[in-house]
Amino acid sequence: MNRPLPPLPGLHIRPRRNRRTDWSRRLVRENALSVDDLILPLFVIDGHGTVEPVPSMPGVMRYSVDELVKVAAQAAALGIPALALFPNTLPALRDADGSEALNPDNLVCQACRAIRAHVPAIGIITDVALDPYTSHGHDGLMAGDQILNDETVDVLVRQAVNQARAGADIIAPSDMMDGRIGAIRAGLDAEGFAHVQIMSYAAKYASAFYGPFRDAVGTNATLIGDKRTYQMDPANSDEALMEVSLDLEQGADMVMVKPGMPYLDIIQRVASTFGRPTFAYQVSGEYAMIMAAAGNGWIDGNKAMMESLMAFKRAGCRGILTYFALRAAEKLQNQRS
Ligand code: PBG
Protein backbone atom coordinates (compact mmCIF):
# COMPACT_ATOMS: atom_id res chain seq x y z
CA MET A 1 0.00 0.00 0.00
CA ASN A 2 2.60 2.55 1.10
CA ARG A 3 4.87 2.12 -1.84
CA PRO A 4 7.89 4.46 -1.68
CA LEU A 5 7.64 7.34 -4.10
CA PRO A 6 10.02 7.17 -7.03
CA PRO A 7 12.95 9.56 -6.59
CA LEU A 8 12.32 13.01 -7.99
CA PRO A 9 14.40 13.63 -11.09
CA GLY A 10 17.53 15.68 -10.42
CA LEU A 11 17.53 15.13 -6.67
CA HIS A 12 21.16 14.06 -6.58
CA ILE A 13 21.76 17.80 -6.86
CA ARG A 14 20.38 19.35 -3.68
CA PRO A 15 21.20 23.08 -3.34
CA ARG A 16 19.90 22.93 0.23
CA ARG A 17 22.87 20.77 1.33
CA ASN A 18 25.15 23.84 1.32
CA ARG A 19 22.62 25.85 3.32
CA ARG A 20 22.15 23.34 6.14
CA THR A 21 24.55 24.84 8.69
CA ASP A 22 25.77 28.30 9.53
CA TRP A 23 29.42 27.44 8.86
CA SER A 24 28.54 26.03 5.45
CA ARG A 25 26.45 29.05 4.52
CA ARG A 26 29.42 31.24 5.45
CA LEU A 27 31.76 29.01 3.45
CA VAL A 28 29.81 29.29 0.19
CA ARG A 29 28.79 32.94 0.58
CA GLU A 30 29.51 34.91 -2.61
CA ASN A 31 29.58 38.46 -1.26
CA ALA A 32 30.50 40.18 1.97
CA LEU A 33 29.68 43.52 3.51
CA SER A 34 32.40 45.19 5.54
CA VAL A 35 32.81 48.50 7.30
CA ASP A 36 35.14 49.50 4.45
CA ASP A 37 32.07 49.64 2.18
CA LEU A 38 30.28 52.34 4.15
CA ILE A 39 30.15 56.09 3.57
CA LEU A 40 28.25 58.20 6.12
CA PRO A 41 26.28 61.24 4.86
CA LEU A 42 26.05 64.04 7.45
CA PHE A 43 23.99 67.24 7.61
CA VAL A 44 25.62 70.43 8.87
CA ILE A 45 23.81 73.40 10.43
CA ASP A 46 24.79 76.74 11.82
CA GLY A 47 25.30 77.16 15.56
CA HIS A 48 27.19 75.67 18.43
CA GLY A 49 26.33 72.58 20.46
CA THR A 50 23.31 72.06 18.22
CA VAL A 51 21.90 68.63 17.35
CA GLU A 52 18.56 68.76 15.59
CA PRO A 53 16.54 65.74 14.43
CA VAL A 54 15.29 65.44 10.85
CA PRO A 55 11.63 64.46 11.31
CA SER A 56 11.29 62.51 8.05
CA MET A 57 14.50 60.56 8.76
CA PRO A 58 14.17 59.00 12.22
CA GLY A 59 17.60 58.66 13.85
CA VAL A 60 19.25 61.19 11.52
CA MET A 61 20.37 64.57 12.90
CA ARG A 62 21.67 67.88 11.68
CA TYR A 63 24.82 68.89 13.57
CA SER A 64 26.60 72.16 14.18
CA VAL A 65 30.28 71.89 13.25
CA ASP A 66 31.50 71.20 16.80
CA GLU A 67 29.00 68.35 17.19
CA LEU A 68 29.74 67.07 13.70
CA VAL A 69 33.38 66.55 14.64
CA LYS A 70 32.28 64.20 17.44
CA VAL A 71 30.26 62.08 15.02
CA ALA A 72 33.15 62.05 12.56
CA ALA A 73 35.40 60.76 15.35
CA GLN A 74 32.86 58.08 16.18
CA ALA A 75 32.70 57.03 12.52
CA ALA A 76 36.49 56.90 12.29
CA ALA A 77 36.69 54.81 15.47
CA LEU A 78 34.29 52.30 13.91
CA GLY A 79 36.49 52.13 10.81
CA ILE A 80 34.14 53.94 8.41
CA PRO A 81 36.45 55.17 5.62
CA ALA A 82 34.68 58.37 4.59
CA LEU A 83 31.82 60.75 5.21
CA ALA A 84 29.82 63.02 2.89
CA LEU A 85 28.85 66.53 3.99
CA PHE A 86 25.61 68.38 3.16
CA PRO A 87 24.81 71.86 4.48
CA ASN A 88 21.51 73.30 5.64
CA THR A 89 22.28 76.91 4.76
CA LEU A 90 20.55 79.71 6.62
CA PRO A 91 17.67 81.04 4.49
CA ALA A 92 19.12 84.56 4.59
CA LEU A 93 22.29 83.29 2.88
CA ARG A 94 20.46 81.70 -0.08
CA ASP A 95 20.30 83.79 -3.25
CA ALA A 96 19.54 83.35 -6.96
CA ASP A 97 23.18 82.62 -7.79
CA GLY A 98 23.97 80.38 -4.82
CA SER A 99 26.87 82.67 -3.98
CA GLU A 100 27.32 81.18 -0.49
CA ALA A 101 28.71 78.09 -2.26
CA LEU A 102 31.83 80.15 -2.99
CA ASN A 103 32.26 81.51 0.54
CA PRO A 104 35.51 80.05 1.94
CA ASP A 105 33.89 80.13 5.35
CA ASN A 106 30.57 78.47 4.48
CA LEU A 107 29.29 75.59 6.62
CA VAL A 108 30.84 72.86 4.49
CA CYS A 109 34.26 74.55 4.46
CA GLN A 110 34.13 75.09 8.22
CA ALA A 111 33.22 71.43 8.66
CA CYS A 112 36.06 70.28 6.38
CA ARG A 113 38.64 72.26 8.33
CA ALA A 114 37.34 71.08 11.71
CA ILE A 115 37.21 67.41 10.70
CA ARG A 116 40.61 67.63 9.02
CA ALA A 117 42.08 69.07 12.25
CA HIS A 118 40.45 66.67 14.71
CA VAL A 119 39.79 63.46 12.75
CA PRO A 120 42.66 63.23 10.25
CA ALA A 121 42.10 59.56 9.37
CA ILE A 122 38.68 59.91 7.74
CA GLY A 123 38.03 60.80 4.10
CA ILE A 124 35.90 63.90 3.49
CA ILE A 125 33.52 63.96 0.53
CA THR A 126 31.86 67.24 -0.40
CA ASP A 127 28.82 67.74 -2.58
CA VAL A 128 29.13 70.03 -5.58
CA ALA A 129 25.77 71.50 -6.64
CA LEU A 130 24.09 74.80 -5.90
CA ASP A 131 20.74 73.66 -4.47
CA PRO A 132 21.49 74.20 -0.75
CA TYR A 133 22.58 77.75 -1.59
CA THR A 134 20.02 78.95 -4.14
CA SER A 135 16.78 80.75 -3.32
CA HIS A 136 15.01 78.64 -5.99
CA GLY A 137 16.40 75.30 -4.77
CA HIS A 138 17.85 74.25 -8.13
CA ASP A 139 21.32 72.78 -8.59
CA GLY A 140 22.22 75.38 -11.21
CA LEU A 141 21.85 79.01 -12.23
CA MET A 142 18.56 80.00 -13.83
CA ALA A 143 17.42 82.30 -16.63
CA GLY A 144 13.63 82.45 -16.46
CA ASP A 145 12.61 78.85 -15.94
CA GLN A 146 15.70 77.41 -17.66
CA ILE A 147 18.64 75.86 -15.84
CA LEU A 148 21.78 77.21 -17.50
CA ASN A 149 24.38 74.52 -18.15
CA ASP A 150 27.72 76.07 -19.03
CA GLU A 151 27.31 79.11 -16.78
CA THR A 152 26.54 76.72 -13.91
CA VAL A 153 29.60 74.59 -14.66
CA ASP A 154 31.83 77.69 -14.26
CA VAL A 155 30.42 78.22 -10.75
CA LEU A 156 30.68 74.53 -9.87
CA VAL A 157 34.40 74.57 -10.73
CA ARG A 158 34.89 77.45 -8.29
CA GLN A 159 32.76 75.67 -5.67
CA ALA A 160 34.91 72.53 -6.03
CA VAL A 161 38.15 74.51 -5.67
CA ASN A 162 36.70 76.28 -2.62
CA GLN A 163 36.00 72.90 -1.02
CA ALA A 164 39.41 71.48 -1.94
CA ARG A 165 41.09 74.49 -0.32
CA ALA A 166 39.14 73.74 2.87
CA GLY A 167 40.46 70.17 2.89
CA ALA A 168 37.95 68.06 0.96
CA ASP A 169 39.47 64.77 -0.22
CA ILE A 170 36.80 63.75 -2.71
CA ILE A 171 34.72 66.18 -4.74
CA ALA A 172 31.30 64.71 -5.51
CA PRO A 173 29.36 66.63 -8.17
CA SER A 174 25.66 65.82 -7.80
CA ASP A 175 24.31 68.48 -10.14
CA MET A 176 24.03 66.52 -13.44
CA MET A 177 25.16 69.43 -15.64
CA ASP A 178 26.81 68.29 -18.88
CA GLY A 179 30.61 68.52 -19.00
CA ARG A 180 31.14 69.36 -15.36
CA ILE A 181 33.52 66.52 -14.52
CA GLY A 182 36.13 67.55 -17.10
CA ALA A 183 35.82 71.21 -16.13
CA ILE A 184 36.14 70.46 -12.40
CA ARG A 185 39.13 68.15 -13.02
CA ALA A 186 40.90 70.90 -14.99
CA GLY A 187 40.01 73.51 -12.36
CA LEU A 188 41.32 71.38 -9.49
CA ASP A 189 44.52 70.54 -11.35
CA ALA A 190 45.16 74.20 -12.20
CA GLU A 191 44.88 75.15 -8.53
CA GLY A 192 47.29 72.46 -7.30
CA PHE A 193 44.69 69.86 -6.34
CA ALA A 194 45.66 67.10 -8.77
CA HIS A 195 45.51 64.63 -5.87
CA VAL A 196 41.90 65.41 -5.00
CA GLN A 197 39.59 62.63 -6.18
CA ILE A 198 36.29 63.00 -8.00
CA MET A 199 33.31 60.78 -7.25
CA SER A 200 30.71 61.70 -9.81
CA TYR A 201 27.00 61.29 -9.29
CA ALA A 202 27.10 59.92 -12.82
CA ALA A 203 23.66 58.33 -13.14
CA LYS A 204 21.42 60.39 -10.92
CA TYR A 205 17.71 60.06 -11.53
CA ALA A 206 14.91 62.61 -11.05
CA SER A 207 13.51 60.71 -8.08
CA ALA A 208 10.76 61.04 -5.52
CA PHE A 209 13.04 59.25 -3.07
CA TYR A 210 14.99 62.45 -2.31
CA GLY A 211 12.08 63.97 -0.37
CA PRO A 212 13.40 63.55 3.19
CA PHE A 213 16.87 64.82 2.16
CA ARG A 214 15.25 67.99 0.87
CA ASP A 215 13.65 68.39 4.30
CA ALA A 216 17.05 67.92 5.90
CA VAL A 217 18.77 70.61 3.84
CA GLY A 218 15.74 72.86 3.58
CA THR A 219 15.22 72.66 -0.19
CA ASN A 220 11.69 71.24 -0.13
CA ALA A 221 10.72 74.73 0.97
CA THR A 222 12.72 76.49 -1.75
CA LEU A 223 12.50 74.21 -4.79
CA ILE A 224 10.46 75.64 -7.65
CA GLY A 225 9.22 72.94 -10.03
CA ASP A 226 11.29 69.78 -10.43
CA LYS A 227 14.71 68.66 -11.65
CA ARG A 228 13.69 66.65 -14.71
CA THR A 229 15.59 68.80 -17.20
CA TYR A 230 18.90 67.74 -15.68
CA GLN A 231 18.39 64.61 -13.56
CA MET A 232 17.70 61.39 -15.49
CA ASP A 233 14.38 59.89 -16.50
CA PRO A 234 13.69 56.79 -14.34
CA ALA A 235 12.65 54.94 -17.51
CA ASN A 236 16.18 54.98 -18.94
CA SER A 237 19.01 52.49 -18.62
CA ASP A 238 21.24 52.79 -21.74
CA GLU A 239 21.43 56.51 -21.06
CA ALA A 240 22.99 55.77 -17.66
CA LEU A 241 25.83 53.96 -19.41
CA MET A 242 26.39 57.01 -21.61
CA GLU A 243 26.45 59.33 -18.58
CA VAL A 244 28.93 57.08 -16.79
CA SER A 245 31.20 56.73 -19.81
CA LEU A 246 31.25 60.51 -20.29
CA ASP A 247 32.18 61.09 -16.66
CA LEU A 248 34.92 58.44 -16.75
CA GLU A 249 36.35 59.94 -19.96
CA GLN A 250 36.39 63.33 -18.28
CA GLY A 251 38.35 62.03 -15.31
CA ALA A 252 35.95 60.72 -12.67
CA ASP A 253 37.83 58.40 -10.31
CA MET A 254 34.66 56.81 -9.00
CA VAL A 255 31.08 56.81 -10.23
CA MET A 256 27.79 56.65 -8.41
CA VAL A 257 24.27 55.49 -9.17
CA LYS A 258 21.47 57.18 -7.28
CA PRO A 259 18.97 56.26 -5.84
CA GLY A 260 20.11 52.76 -4.88
CA MET A 261 17.66 49.94 -4.35
CA PRO A 262 15.14 50.85 -7.09
CA TYR A 263 18.12 51.07 -9.49
CA LEU A 264 20.07 47.88 -8.75
CA ASP A 265 19.83 46.94 -12.44
CA ILE A 266 21.65 50.16 -13.34
CA ILE A 267 24.32 49.51 -10.72
CA GLN A 268 24.93 46.06 -12.11
CA ARG A 269 25.17 47.29 -15.70
CA VAL A 270 27.54 50.11 -14.74
CA ALA A 271 29.77 47.90 -12.60
CA SER A 272 29.99 45.08 -15.13
CA THR A 273 30.36 47.33 -18.19
CA PHE A 274 33.13 49.58 -16.89
CA GLY A 275 34.74 47.66 -14.03
CA ARG A 276 35.54 50.94 -12.28
CA PRO A 277 34.80 51.81 -8.64
CA THR A 278 31.01 52.01 -8.57
CA PHE A 279 29.04 53.34 -5.63
CA ALA A 280 25.37 53.51 -4.75
CA TYR A 281 23.58 56.14 -2.75
CA GLN A 282 20.92 54.52 -0.59
CA VAL A 283 19.00 57.78 -0.48
CA SER A 284 16.90 59.43 2.18
CA GLY A 285 13.58 58.02 0.95
CA GLU A 286 14.94 54.47 0.99
CA TYR A 287 16.15 55.01 4.55
CA ALA A 288 12.83 56.57 5.57
CA MET A 289 10.83 53.65 4.14
CA ILE A 290 12.82 51.06 6.06
CA MET A 291 12.69 53.13 9.26
CA ALA A 292 8.95 53.76 8.94
CA ALA A 293 8.11 50.11 8.37
CA ALA A 294 10.42 49.04 11.20
CA GLY A 295 8.97 51.73 13.46
CA ASN A 296 5.53 50.29 12.88
CA GLY A 297 6.75 46.80 13.66
CA TRP A 298 6.07 45.70 10.11
CA ILE A 299 9.62 44.60 9.29
CA ASP A 300 12.75 43.86 11.32
CA GLY A 301 14.74 47.08 10.87
CA ASN A 302 18.20 45.64 11.51
CA LYS A 303 17.68 42.72 9.19
CA ALA A 304 16.19 44.89 6.44
CA MET A 305 19.14 47.27 6.82
CA MET A 306 21.75 44.53 6.44
CA GLU A 307 19.86 42.84 3.60
CA SER A 308 19.53 46.10 1.68
CA LEU A 309 23.26 46.82 2.06
CA MET A 310 24.19 43.31 0.96
CA ALA A 311 22.00 43.77 -2.13
CA PHE A 312 24.27 46.63 -3.20
CA LYS A 313 27.36 44.45 -2.83
CA ARG A 314 25.71 41.66 -4.81
CA ALA A 315 24.84 44.13 -7.58
CA GLY A 316 28.52 45.06 -7.87
CA CYS A 317 28.99 48.11 -5.66
CA ARG A 318 32.38 48.91 -4.21
CA GLY A 319 30.70 50.95 -1.50
CA ILE A 320 27.45 52.55 -0.36
CA LEU A 321 26.50 56.00 0.87
CA THR A 322 23.99 55.19 3.57
CA TYR A 323 22.35 56.87 6.55
CA PHE A 324 22.67 53.46 8.21
CA ALA A 325 26.50 53.63 8.12
CA LEU A 326 27.04 54.04 11.88
CA ARG A 327 24.43 51.46 12.82
CA ALA A 328 25.62 48.95 10.22
CA ALA A 329 29.25 49.44 11.28
CA GLU A 330 28.30 48.75 14.90
CA LYS A 331 26.42 45.65 13.86
CA LEU A 332 29.34 44.38 11.77
CA GLN A 333 31.68 44.96 14.69
CA ASN A 334 29.46 42.98 17.08
CA GLN A 335 29.19 40.13 14.58
CA ARG A 336 32.97 39.78 14.60
CA SER A 337 33.50 39.82 18.37
C1 PBG B 1 21.56 67.74 -4.21
C2 PBG B 1 21.51 66.36 -3.67
C3 PBG B 1 20.34 65.61 -3.46
C4 PBG B 1 20.73 64.44 -2.81
C5 PBG B 1 22.13 64.47 -2.70
N1 PBG B 1 22.60 65.66 -3.27
C6 PBG B 1 18.91 65.94 -3.66
C7 PBG B 1 18.44 66.43 -4.96
O1 PBG B 1 19.06 66.22 -6.00
O2 PBG B 1 17.40 67.07 -4.94
C8 PBG B 1 19.79 63.36 -2.34
C9 PBG B 1 20.26 62.47 -1.26
C10 PBG B 1 19.18 61.75 -0.52
O3 PBG B 1 17.99 61.78 -0.88
O4 PBG B 1 19.54 61.09 0.46
N2 PBG B 1 22.24 68.01 -5.35
Side-chain angles (χ1 to χ4, degrees):
M1 283 199 298
N2 269 346
R3 262 185 300 148
L5 292 167
L8 293 169
L11 257 192
H12 59 293
I13 298 163
R14 289 178 179 265
R16 288 185 58 192
R17 267 197 292 264
N18 284 345
R19 298 181 202 135
R20 211 166 61 89
T21 56
D22 179 64
W23 61 261
S24 176
R25 287 191 293 273
R26 285 189 284 127
L27 196 62
V28 301
R29 188 161 293 153
E30 298 173 37
N31 293 288
L33 177 72
S34 106
V35 70
D36 295 333
D37 301 319
L38 303 173
I39 296 172
L40 172 65
L42 289 171
F43 298 114
V44 198
I45 45 168
D46 199 49
H48 193 85
T50 313
V51 178
E52 201 177 84
V54 180
S56 51
M57 301 177 74
V60 171
M61 310 287 167
R62 306 181 188 103
Y63 301 96
S64 56
V65 171
D66 56 320
E67 295 292 335
L68 191 80
V69 168
K70 297 180 197 165
V71 185
Q74 207 187 331
L78 282 163
I80 291 174
L83 37 86
L85 301 177
F86 299 97
N88 182 314
T89 308
L90 288 172
L93 297 176
R94 299 183 195 218
D95 60 23
D97 299 333
S99 56
E100 178 67 6
L102 305 180
N103 175 2
D105 208 28
N106 68 24
L107 281 176
V108 163
C109 292
Q110 286 180 39
C112 284
R113 285 192 294 269
I115 295 167
R116 195 36 72 249
H118 295 102
V119 194
I122 204 154
I124 305 175
I125 303 175
T126 51
D127 192 76
V128 166
L130 298 181
D131 53 321
Y133 309 101
T134 51
S135 44
H136 45 70
H138 279 289
D139 294 28
L141 303 176
M142 298 186 80
D145 60 358
Q146 302 292 308
I147 310 298
L148 302 171
N149 194 90
D150 301 6
E151 294 81 351
T152 298
V153 170
D154 288 343
V155 182
L156 298 177
V157 171
R158 291 161 65 202
Q159 180 184 21
V161 169
N162 188 36
Q163 295 171 346
R165 282 202 186 107
D169 298 295
I170 303 182
I171 300 295
S174 71
D175 54 284
M176 290 299 280
M177 297 301 122
D178 295 332
R180 88 277 206 219
I181 299 300
I184 289 172
R185 183 70 272 162
L188 290 171
D189 292 356
E191 294 292 324
F193 297 109
H195 58 283
V196 169
Q197 294 149 272
I198 296 179
M199 175 189 281
S200 106
Y201 287 67
K204 175 172 177 179
Y205 287 85
S207 173
F209 292 96
Y210 307 150
F213 174 97
R214 292 179 187 168
D215 283 340
V217 298
T219 54
N220 264 335
T222 53
L223 183 61
I224 298 166
D226 60 53
K227 301 191 178 183
R228 285 183 294 179
T229 68
Y230 45 109
Q231 299 181 348
M232 282 182 59
D233 182 342
N236 296 352
S237 175
D238 290 343
E239 191 188 3
L241 297 189
M242 179 182 73
E243 284 282 6
V244 169
S245 80
L246 286 170
D247 286 3
L248 288 171
E249 276 165 26
Q250 292 172 42
D253 302 288
M254 313 167 186
V255 293
M256 191 206 297
V257 174
K258 177 187 176 190
M261 220 150 69
Y263 296 84
L264 287 178
D265 57 323
I266 308 298
I267 294 168
Q268 190 184 35
R269 283 191 81 187
V270 167
S272 62
T273 302
F274 300 100
R276 301 283 289 276
T278 303
F279 291 78
Y281 200 142
Q282 181 178 49
V283 299
S284 57
E286 299 175 64
Y287 174 85
M289 286 196 299
I290 293 175
M291 291 302 287
N296 278 301
W298 296 337
I299 60 173
D300 179 321
N302 270 328
K303 285 187 179 154
M305 165 180 80
M306 297 310 273
E307 185 178 332
S308 67
L309 295 173
M310 183 60 84
F312 292 117
K313 293 294 291 180
R314 195 189 61 239
C317 277
R318 199 63 59 78
I320 308 123
L321 287 94
T322 173
Y323 301 97
F324 287 122
L326 285 171
R327 192 164 143 194
E330 274 163 17
K331 195 150 197 306
L332 288 165
Q333 196 171 54
N334 295 336
Q335 276 170 2
R336 259 179 282 126
S337 55

